[in-house]
Amino acid sequence: MNRKTERKELVDHLIASGYLSTPRVIDAMLNVKRHIFVPQNQSRYAYSDRPLSIGSKQTISAPHMVAIMTEHLDVRVDDKILEIGAGSGYQAAILAEIAKKGKIYTVERLSEIAERARSSIKECGYKNISIIVGDGTKGYKAEAPYDRIIVTAGAPKIPQSLVDQLEDWGKLLIPVGGRSYQELMLVEKRDKKIIESGLGGCVFVPLIGEDGWH
Ligand code: SAH
């Protein structure tokens, strides 16, 4: 089976399972070549709905988790987006497909992981993604505020810097809880008021840093 057909089957499965429904999110998942973002020795599993190891004890999230988060993030074409935890770069590529006229800043703590993400993103030709090496628990002040913020590692609590760097009427998605199990939280700023809601359980690697796990 060719890669495009594999992607179509995965997306059909995610739609049938109720994880995907918005046309622009569906198109992004049909377009982004996940096999470019997974290590070569796991390439045959690129379009299975499961997380995969990307080295340094980190993982690329399962496609259904990327679908859930991207649906909830409600990305618009010209959004300025901050991601914490670039990992493989796959989620950033999905965001870049939707925010075609916007910009994605993605922060990664581990430089060797960031380097690989950079080369996968370059190979796919995305020009609106910047990868920054650093501690994302402090956000990325240089480009704040952001319309959307997505954290793809599990935090013990919501870092205040991220709430501060969120634009009014913006949305922040972050897994919050224990080291091995979290609740996906949606934080919305509405007329400067903060509204938090829980969206269900999830499992992410720990967010490690000053305002994360130590
Ligand atoms: N979004 C990624 C998956 C992320 S895995 C993808 O699409 O593949 C979580 C990543 O968060 C790991 O690469 C880990 O190194 C990184 N991370 C953990 N703590 C961090 C921090 N404080 N700042 C930035 N990145 C962090």
Side-chain angles (χ1 to χ4, degrees):
M1 212 190 310
N2 73 32
R3 295 309 212 170
K4 202 170 170 193
T5 312
E6 286 188 67
R7 264 198 308 282
K8 175 83 169 69
E9 288 201 348
L10 171 63
V11 167
D12 285 347
H13 160 76
L14 296 174
I15 294 170
S17 310
Y19 295 123
L20 268 181
S21 58
T22 307
R24 61 190 191 278
V25 182
I26 293 172
D27 285 345
M29 295 206 58
L30 284 173
N31 288 340
V32 179
K33 300 180 169 105
R34 192 170 186 261
H35 65 275
I36 305 285
F37 295 86
V38 309
Q40 282 225 304
N41 62 354
Q42 302 195 75
S43 185
R44 65 186 180 282
Y45 307 122
Y47 297 104
S48 304
D49 187 17
R50 51 158 134 160
L52 294 171
S53 164
I54 55 169
S56 310
K57 289 199 222 157
Q58 307 305 324
T59 51
I60 172 172
S61 306
H64 74 268
M65 194 38 75
V66 173
I68 291 171
M69 291 183 93
T70 310
E71 287 278 355
H72 281 295
L73 201 60
D74 180 28
V75 174
R76 296 153 310 171
V77 71
D78 52 1
D79 275 343
K80 178 159 48 149
I81 306 173
L82 176 67
E83 180 189 26
I84 309 303
S88 67
Y90 175 72
Q91 174 74 70
I94 294 283
L95 299 173
E97 280 276 342
I98 305 172
K100 280 190 198 309
K101 295 182 187 158
K103 176 88 207 205
I104 323 298
Y105 297 90
T106 181
V107 183
E108 173 55 53
R109 184 182 153 249
L110 302 172
S111 55
E112 66 275 17
I113 295 254
E115 212 35 66
R116 256 176 281 144
R118 241 178 229 130
S119 91
S120 305
I121 284 166
K122 193 171 173 210
E123 187 176 342
C124 292
Y126 297 105
K127 304 240 185 292
N128 56 339
I129 302 174
S130 287
I131 304 187
I132 301 107
V133 175
D135 176 7
T137 64
K138 293 290 177 192
Y140 183 54
K141 216 170 170 188
E143 295 292 340
Y146 301 95
D147 301 301
R148 300 288 185 263
I149 301 179
I150 175 170
V151 183
T152 58
K157 60 177 174 29
I158 301 169
Q160 188 56 43
S161 307
L162 298 184
V163 178
D164 293 344
Q165 290 174 27
L166 188 63
E167 179 75 271
D168 200 15
W169 302 100
K171 295 184 187 197
L172 156 67
L173 268 182
I174 178 168
V176 183
R179 265 189 179 261
S180 50
Y181 184 80
Q182 305 90 26
E183 168 98 7
L184 183 61
M185 299 294 300
L186 172 66
V187 180
E188 291 173 276
K189 216 179 246 189
R190 287 196 207 146
D191 208 6
K192 304 199 173 81
K193 282 199 268 307
I194 305 295
I195 295 131
E196 289 180 16
S197 32
L199 302 175
C202 54
V203 175
F204 279 85
V205 296
L207 180 75
I208 296 170
E210 201 173 321
D211 285 344
W213 297 98
H214 298 288

